[in-house]
Structures are given as structure tokens and as C-alpha cells.
Amino acid sequence: KIWDTTSMNLKVVDKFNDLFVSSYVTAGRSRLLLLHDIRNEDGIKAFFQEAHELYLKICMNPFHDTNSLIKSPTFEQRIIQLGKKYL
């Protein structure tokens, strides 16, 4: 499905039990996944766009190794705030 569209937001790509799995692919082929229970496509799109911006800021940090996990409590808190704002 990733190669069928030019959009970065792939929307709902799978279903797990009663939950939906939405996906967003960056230009560098990093994948952001979201497990959710309601369809709110506009909110999910906005969430992914802002989460992508936060992710880029982390990746552009010269002290961050691109192959390591993101262990920043600030990053985690901002993602939680985005979830509360859009989802």
C-alpha cells in the first residue's frame, strides 16, 4: 500500500481486534503507527503531521544517533499532548 499513493498519510492500513491501525510514512521511510478505536481522519492526519515535525526536530539534533530509540521525556510528553489535542 505504501507504493500505491504519493500521500504520506496512509490512513487506516489494518484492523486489530476492535481497533484500527493508521500509518504515516516520512520521506526518509520512517513509519509512524497509531492504534485507535474511532475513525477521526482529520484529527489523525493533524496528529501525524505535528508528530512528524517533532520527530524531525529530534532527528536534526546533532547529539541524537538516528539508529537509536528516542528516550526523551519531553518528546514523549509532547506526543501525549498531541494525542489529547487531536484524538
Side-chain angles (χ1 to χ4, degrees), residues 41-51 82 86:
E41 299 210 4
D42 292 332
I44 291 170
K45 181 178 179 179
F47 170 82
F48 275 139
Q49 287 174 339
E50 288 198 34
L82 288 177
Y86 292 114

Side-chain angles (χ1 to χ4, degrees), residues 18 22-23 33 40 49 60 65 79-80:
D18 293 335
S22 292
S23 178
L33 299 174
N40 176 7
Q49 287 174 339
M60 291 173 55
D65 179 18
I79 292 294
I80 290 169

Side-chain angles (χ1 to χ4, degrees), residues 1-13 21-34 44-45 47-49 51-53 55-56:
K1 187 167 181 176
I2 188 173
W3 308 118
D4 296 342
T5 181
T6 58
S7 175
M8 296 173 95
N9 184 16
L10 300 180
K11 300 185 181 179
V12 175
V13 294
V21 180
S22 292
S23 178
Y24 183 93
V25 181
T26 68
R29 295 188 183 169
S30 295
R31 292 156 188 94
L32 306 177
L33 299 174
L34 178 68
I44 291 170
K45 181 178 179 179
F47 170 82
F48 275 139
Q49 287 174 339
H52 184 204
E53 287 181 27
Y55 174 73
L56 286 176

Side-chain angles (χ1 to χ4, degrees), residues 65-77:
D65 179 18
T66 55
N67 295 322
S68 67
L69 295 175
I70 299 173
K71 298 179 182 178
S72 167
T74 304
F75 177 80
E76 183 177 346
Q77 188 61 35

